[in-house]
Amino acid sequence: MDDLAWNPFGAFSAEQREKMEAFEEQLLRFNPRVNLISSETEDAFRTRHLLHCLTLTAREFPDGCTIVDWGTGGGLPAIPLAICHPEATVVGVDSVGKKVRAVRTIARRLGLENCFTWNGRAKEWTGEAHYSVSRATAPLATLWQWHRRVAVDLQAPPREDEWEQGVLTLKGGNLSGEIADLRAMDSDASVARHSLEDLLGRNGFFGEKEIVAAHS
């Protein structure tokens, strides 16, 4: 990982590094029973899953904010974000009960007091959020609907090194249709695209994958 153009692992404290390693251990322990990630990608967990999710930390999240992870699955990216941002509240939402229970157990074992879970359909979650994140869970327009329904304003505008308040989703492939659908639904929405290959350099691992950021 040391030859990445941008390397999130180098910024970890000793405690964060320990928790990331414990997260990997716990997830792989649960995986045969709960199918949190594809078994074919277990050996590449740190690149295919952990590094992918950590690209969302290329910019900061404000202290005191609430981040909701729609379709958290195996706690990706909810748990890595909770580890990296202990002053933020992270909520993993998923409709699959066994996955939610596994993520809740892992968060408890890691001592993540800022990480919570909720089992149910995204459109029925009744909390409030400053940011919505997702890893290829739903089309961009759907994520935007989920976010706008629960979005509340931050007490202060984000700094230059912080993400604009809104949706941050990890996606790949041709996104022109998804972006057009979002703009047709909400002409005031702004969309920015951040290439993971540009961020991570020649060892980007992710081809055409990117972070798509949508905000008002």
Side-chain angles (χ1 to χ4, degrees):
M1 298 296 179
D2 292 338
D3 56 352
L4 296 176
W6 171 80
N7 187 352
F9 298 97
F12 289 166
S13 67
E15 181 182 6
Q16 287 172 327
R17 187 176 300 277
E18 182 179 322
K19 287 186 176 181
M20 291 291 183
E21 291 173 354
F23 172 44
E24 178 180 6
E25 178 185 349
Q26 289 291 324
L27 185 144
L28 295 181
R29 183 178 298 176
F30 272 98
N31 205 49
R33 291 176 285 142
V34 188
N35 192 30
L36 298 173
I37 61 172
S38 168
S39 60
E40 297 177 355
T41 64
E42 287 185 350
D43 291 342
F45 175 80
R46 294 195 180 190
T47 52
R48 291 283 297 275
H49 298 284
L50 187 56
L51 177 61
H52 192 201
C53 291
L54 287 172
T55 59
L56 293 174
T57 68
R59 292 187 183 178
E60 295 292 328
F61 290 89
D63 288 352
C65 74
T66 297
I67 306 165
V68 59
D69 175 14
W70 304 107
T72 192
L76 296 158
I79 287 182
L81 290 181
I83 294 172
C84 290
H85 296 281
E87 301 303 319
T89 297
V90 184
V91 183
V93 172
D94 204 288
S95 62
V96 181
K98 64 181 181 179
K99 293 186 177 183
V100 169
R101 290 189 293 273
V103 172
R104 184 183 303 137
T105 300
I106 293 171
R108 185 180 70 249
R109 291 178 178 175
L110 268 55
L112 296 176
E113 297 182 356
N114 63 327
C115 187
F116 304 89
T117 58
W118 188 84
N119 178 212
R121 301 173 67 189
K123 65 180 182 180
E124 296 173 352
W125 185 66
T126 57
E128 296 180 342
H130 302 104
Y131 294 90
S132 289
V133 298
S134 176
R135 191 175 183 230
T137 298
L140 187 57
T142 301
L143 292 169
W144 187 249
Q145 286 181 313
W146 293 345
H147 175 75
R148 294 301 300 163
R149 184 179 62 82
V150 301
V152 293
D153 290 333
L154 292 162
Q155 291 186 346
R159 303 187 313 258
E160 286 189 5
D161 63 339
E162 295 173 339
W163 289 108
E164 288 278 353
Q165 185 178 346
V167 171
L168 300 165
T169 181
L170 294 162
K171 285 186 172 289
N174 186 343
L175 301 174
S176 57
E178 287 195 34
I179 293 172
D181 289 344
L182 170 60
R183 289 175 170 155
M185 183 180 68
D186 186 347
S187 60
D188 293 329
S190 297
V191 177
R193 303 172 68 175
H194 306 275
S195 164
L196 297 193
E197 186 174 29
D198 290 346
L199 178 65
L200 298 172
R202 65 181 180 84
N203 287 330
F205 306 111
F206 300 116
E208 298 180 355
K209 293 186 182 298
E210 56 193 282
I211 300 170
V212 181
H215 59 90
S216 298

